[in-house]
Amino acid sequence: MAALEEEFTLSAVTLGARPDGLLGVEQTDRTDHFLVTDRSRTVILYKVSDQKPLGSWSVKQGQIITCPAVCNFQTGEHIVVHDDKVLRIWNNEDVNLDKVFKATLSAEVHRVHSVQGAEPVVLFRGGAARGLEALLAEPQQKIETVLSDGEVIKWTKFFVVFRHPVIVFITEKDGNHFAYVQMLHSRNLSKYTLLLEQEEKSVTRSFTASVDRKFISLMTLSSDGCVYETLIPIYPSDTEKNQRLVRSPLLKAVVSGAAPNGVTLAALDPDHVAVLGAPLPSSKECLSIWNTKFQTLQTSKELPQGTSGQLWCYGEHLFLLHGKCLTVVPCRCGASSLAGALGKLRRAQDPGSQTMPHFVNWEVAQGCEPGAQKSEQLRRILRRKKSEVSLQPEVPASEQLLSTIKNGSEKHIEVELRKFLAKWTPDSHAVLGDVVAALLGRGEAEPSFYPRSCLMQLLQTHALSHSLCPGLMDTALAKADVQMLQLCLRHFPDVPESLTCACLKIFLSIGDDSLQGAHVSMESVCEHSSSEQDESTEEQPEILRNGFSPGDSNCGTCEQELREEPQGPAAEAASCPVTPKRAALLNGILGSAYSETFLLPHLKDIPAQHVTIMDWICLLLDANFTVVLMIPEAKRLLINLYKFVKSQISVYSELNKIEVSFRELQKLNQEKNNRGLYSIEVLELF
């Protein structure tokens, strides 16, 4: 059973796209990062879980990007083509596209394709395809023309089948459609003519495809509102150059062909497709999911601001333009079963989504004849279900657990979760995200419900991330659950900087009494303490470290001020300002990944009395410089910094003097060019 969850805007500001929408949305080597290309000059890299841009690149004024930017999964670099023939390659650290790698090709590019496990492929408008490496080795190589005059590429898709890259593209000429399948490792190209089962005057509006071991399942959405399927063999048995394939009806009347901004079809899995457009009973545009195996509408979501008729699907995320803002709609597709298709397996629905009656489209099953084999299969299934009407369908373990979470006791949920995790496999991460969402959702509805033990069990699977369960850390912050926050910081690779700083505030402000009873991992503190203890067992002579000695006589004034400060407990507190448990929590903060650009604004909210105990010294001083100058607690810190910087300046001054001497030596060496095979020279420095 499929479901559409609450959508969110990826970009809070209007993208400014033309009415025909974007050029494309492509996934990068990080599952949470996506490249968005508009139809003018700009490529933007977004992190979906944080709903924020990570980088933006534009071509020069007068240049136009002509195909979507993609990621080279083998190198992590980005690839884009502008002005049809100019190929650019860059990485996240580059700022100006005009200064990155450039290759001018000999033919116009239709699209660059890239998927996991394969080298990027460049498809030219003439129908030829080249691997990126072979193309870059000789950018001006001659590119053959495969298509006939007037034949235009309408849609392309790139697959990896048995580790071999396969590219399929659909062309149109004089109202007829042709399918090309090219095996890139063998350069074999097969051409097929797509025929309708019966004569009709429909126009194909959208294509999508999925692949198995032997066939490419090509689905087309036509202007009559029906979805058709064509099975294209990956390895053709007939050597005839132009073979004919008949397409058969798959779904009838799923959308109105007269939608104002077009309609779009996207395959979600072998049994589900997403359709973007206006359904026949309604004039409003909506996003819907259909079960192609049982011809049923699973769910739909209205889009009142209209769309551009474009839809991109990556994993459990659907991307579309709602109004002029790029919107992400999370979706879930369960295992296809007749009970699920008919709505017998019910689950909580998102308030913004509308669950349809789950009717069987009998006109497709009988009138449109979507293939005798499928009709007979459906009739056999229905007959078997009638004879077994007294038997309840087997509910998946995840569904049983989610049902228990809705109204079971905390102890009962904990027991069921333990059973579920005993059978859980690491390849189904999304299920754990659903479980966490259900637990947190019930906690919001019932404030007294806080299944801490269950959440800790889920965290210890090491399979969760912030993007998979974005509300978990917020709940832990609200409960001041430092142990859970410590685990999240350790296991989540994508914690936003705002949450990192929120954890820092909790760790700094929580009382020692509260920390005393908390179960905190002391691993980092124990390792540090043992290393310090080993070093203290033997006396070390005073050494000069980068020109800095604690007893440097050049800082007599600073030393005098330090000696005037009170000794005893206060001095001990200054040398060890936090308890071991708090130190362990702070070590978790210091070990988490962060970006200086996004971290700096949040550091300004840290109270002044807490600024002097952290290791992000440069960022903290930048964010709180004026405050640090004023508070008494920072006096010792500033004096030590002053002494260290002064000693470094002295070292650099001496190095500059040596540099002058080396320059003079270099001049002497350049003047003496007439040397034999062997010589001894004595150079005196004054």
Side-chain angles (χ1 to χ4, degrees):
M1 183 173 178
L4 293 172
E5 299 180 359
E6 185 66 27
E7 73 275 9
F8 58 89
T9 300
L10 185 57
S11 178
V13 295
T14 302
L15 294 173
R18 296 188 340 213
D20 46 356
L22 299 168
L23 265 182
V25 177
E26 294 286 336
Q27 192 172 28
T28 70
D29 53 347
R30 298 186 179 183
T31 56
D32 198 26
H33 293 184
F34 292 85
L35 288 169
V36 178
T37 310
D38 66 23
R39 290 187 179 270
S40 55
R41 303 171 46 227
T42 307
V43 178
I44 304 176
L45 176 65
Y46 285 99
K47 185 176 182 180
V48 171
S49 60
D50 293 345
Q51 303 174 37
K52 66 182 180 184
L54 300 179
S56 176
W57 302 270
S58 298
V59 296
K60 292 193 304 185
Q61 189 74 29
Q63 297 175 341
I64 298 178
I65 297 177
T66 49
C67 75
V70 299
C71 174
N72 185 342
F73 289 91
Q74 296 179 337
T75 65
E77 297 173 315
H78 308 316
I79 308 168
V80 76
V81 175
H82 64 82
D83 301 315
D84 298 320
K85 293 184 178 181
V86 183
L87 187 144
R88 299 274 187 178
I89 300 177
W90 79 101
N91 54 42
N92 291 343
E93 287 73 30
D94 293 319
V95 177
N96 190 344
L97 278 186
D98 195 41
K99 297 181 179 179
V100 302
F101 177 84
K102 170 185 175 182
T104 302
L105 309 179
S106 62
E108 294 183 347
V109 175
H110 174 78
R111 184 74 184 267
V112 181
H113 282 289
S114 183
V115 297
Q116 285 278 10
E119 176 192 1
V121 172
V122 179
L123 177 65
F124 293 89
R125 290 184 180 174
R130 292 286 190 277
L132 180 64
E133 293 301 325
L135 193 61
L136 295 181
E138 190 181 352
Q140 286 296 310
Q141 62 183 272
K142 184 178 179 181
I143 304 299
E144 70 275 11
T145 300
V146 176
L147 307 183
S148 60
D149 292 339
E151 195 172 358
V152 180
I153 298 177
K154 307 297 289 185
W155 176 85
T156 66
K157 187 72 174 178
F158 190 36
F159 300 102
V160 175
V161 182
F162 291 119
R163 299 184 180 179
H164 296 310
V166 179
I167 189 168
V168 55
F169 56 95
I170 307 300
T171 64
E172 181 183 14
K173 180 180 180 181
D174 300 329
N176 298 317
H177 286 88
F178 307 92
Y180 292 82
V181 179
Q182 181 165 357
M183 305 291 294
L184 295 173
H185 71 289
S186 61
R187 303 294 292 271
N188 290 334
L189 180 66
S190 303
K191 180 181 179 180
Y192 305 91
T193 301
L194 303 181
L195 301 175
L196 292 174
E197 193 175 31
Q198 55 186 356
E199 291 295 330
E200 55 182 78
K201 299 179 180 180
S202 62
V203 179
T204 303
R205 305 290 294 273
S206 179
F207 298 90
T208 190
S210 60
V211 65
D212 59 19
R213 297 190 174 190
K214 295 183 179 180
F215 292 96
I216 297 171
S217 174
L218 176 69
M219 288 171 279
T220 57
L221 180 58
S222 298
S223 58
D224 59 2
C226 296
V227 177
Y228 299 87
E229 181 185 34
T230 304
L231 295 179
I232 304 175
I234 299 176
Y235 306 98
S237 56
D238 193 349
T239 57
E240 184 183 354
K241 289 186 178 180
N242 190 354
Q243 306 174 61
R244 297 172 179 267
L245 296 174
V246 176
R247 62 178 190 176
S248 58
L250 185 62
L251 295 172
K252 183 177 180 181
V254 299
V255 73
S256 171
N261 294 316
V263 292
T264 309
L265 185 70
L268 303 180
D269 62 23
D271 297 324
H272 296 90
V273 294
V275 180
L276 183 64
L280 283 176
S282 171
S283 60
K284 296 181 180 180
E285 292 184 79
C286 72
L287 174 65
S288 57
I289 297 181
W290 288 76
N291 186 311
T292 57
K293 186 175 183 180
F294 298 107
Q295 294 88 43
T296 57
L297 176 60
Q298 298 291 280
T299 185
S300 69
K301 182 186 291 287
E302 288 191 358
L303 303 169
Q305 300 179 29
T307 72
S308 63
Q310 295 174 295
L311 181 65
W312 298 271
C313 173
Y314 295 99
E316 296 185 344
H317 291 97
L318 296 174
F319 295 81
L320 55 94
L321 276 182
H322 190 197
K324 287 187 178 180
C325 292
L326 184 59
T327 301
V328 181
V329 183
C331 67
R332 292 178 299 182
C333 295
S336 180
S337 64
L338 184 62
L342 297 177
K344 299 300 182 183
L345 301 178
R346 298 195 179 274
R347 63 184 303 164
Q349 293 293 323
D350 202 32
S353 63
Q354 176 184 1
T355 304
M356 305 306 290
H358 301 92
F359 55 89
V360 175
N361 195 334
W362 295 107
E363 294 183 5
V364 174
Q366 298 176 1
C368 285
E369 296 275 330
Q373 183 177 358
K374 285 196 171 185
S375 298
E376 181 62 25
Q377 180 185 12
L378 181 60
R379 283 194 290 269
R380 285 199 303 269
I381 292 174
L382 291 176
R383 285 196 297 268
R384 186 167 64 251
K385 287 298 176 181
K386 287 180 180 179
S387 62
E388 300 174 358
V389 70
S390 60
L391 299 177
Q392 294 293 330
E394 183 179 354
V395 181
S398 59
E399 295 287 344
Q400 293 179 358
L401 178 59
L402 292 173
S403 177
T404 303
I405 291 174
K406 289 180 183 178
N407 44 30
S409 65
E410 188 172 336
K411 188 66 177 177
H412 186 201
I413 296 173
E414 186 177 346
V415 172
E416 293 299 320
L417 177 62
R418 194 176 294 113
K419 294 178 182 177
F420 172 77
L421 292 178
K423 301 178 181 179
W424 173 77
T425 56
D427 56 348
S428 54
H429 293 222
V431 177
L432 296 187
D434 296 340
V435 174
V436 174
L439 290 170
L440 298 179
R442 182 175 172 185
E444 291 179 0
E446 304 174 20
S448 61
F449 180 78
Y450 182 50
R452 185 177 185 279
S453 177
C454 296
L455 294 173
M456 294 295 288
Q457 286 186 57
L458 291 166
L459 273 174
Q460 289 165 359
T461 62
H462 299 186
L464 295 178
S465 63
H466 173 70
S467 56
L468 198 60
C469 48
L472 180 57
M473 292 190 71
D474 292 328
T475 302
L477 285 168
K479 301 286 186 180
D481 193 334
V482 293
Q483 183 187 8
M484 187 174 295
L485 291 173
Q486 186 187 36
L487 284 177
C488 291
L489 289 170
R490 178 181 297 179
H491 300 312
F492 287 5
D494 55 350
V495 178
E497 286 79 0
S498 58
L499 286 179
T500 303
C501 283
C503 293
L504 173 59
K505 293 177 187 177
I506 289 289
F507 295 166
L508 291 173
S509 61
I510 191 170
D512 291 336
D513 294 338
S514 301
L515 274 180
Q516 194 68 27
H519 297 282
V520 176
S521 174
M522 304 295 293
E523 190 174 328
S524 60
V525 177
C526 292
E527 291 176 359
H528 181 68
S529 301
S530 60
S531 62
E532 283 188 347
Q533 186 175 0
D534 293 340
E535 292 178 1
S536 63
T537 55
E538 55 184 71
E539 291 187 7
Q540 297 289 341
E542 185 176 339
I543 56 176
L544 190 69
R545 185 179 303 166
N546 289 339
F548 169 66
S549 173
D552 198 335
S553 59
N554 293 333
C555 295
T557 306
C558 301
E559 291 291 345
Q560 183 178 359
E561 292 186 10
L562 285 176
R563 284 194 294 269
E564 291 174 356
E565 293 190 7
Q567 304 297 320
E572 293 179 5
S575 62
C576 185
V578 294
T579 62
K581 283 193 174 182
R582 197 185 304 274
L585 294 174
L586 295 178
N587 284 342
I589 291 285
L590 296 176
S592 60
Y594 68 93
S595 168
E596 293 186 6
T597 304
F598 299 110
L599 181 63
L600 184 59
H602 300 291
L603 289 176
K604 295 181 180 180
D605 299 332
I606 298 176
Q609 64 270 24
H610 293 151
V611 169
T612 59
I613 65 169
M614 294 303 299
D615 197 27
W616 293 324
I617 193 66
C618 294
L619 284 177
L620 280 166
L621 288 178
D622 287 343
N624 305 274
F625 185 71
T626 305
V627 177
V628 170
L629 288 178
M630 303 297 294
I631 60 176
E633 295 91 338
K635 186 176 181 180
R636 178 181 292 271
L637 171 65
L638 293 177
I639 291 174
N640 287 332
L641 286 175
Y642 169 76
K643 292 168 57 180
F644 181 77
V645 172
K646 187 172 182 179
S647 65
Q648 292 296 302
I649 292 175
S650 176
V651 172
Y652 294 148
S653 177
E654 296 298 326
L655 290 175
N656 286 334
K657 294 177 183 178
I658 298 175
E659 183 183 8
V660 173
S661 301
F662 282 133
R663 288 178 183 172
E664 294 300 324
L665 288 175
Q666 189 175 11
K667 290 180 181 179
L668 290 174
N669 290 334
Q670 291 176 353
E671 291 174 358
K672 298 180 180 180
N673 294 324
N674 298 325
R675 296 172 179 164
L677 295 177
Y678 177 78
S679 65
I680 298 176
E681 299 182 18
V682 178
L683 303 176
E684 296 183 1
L685 300 177
F686 299 97

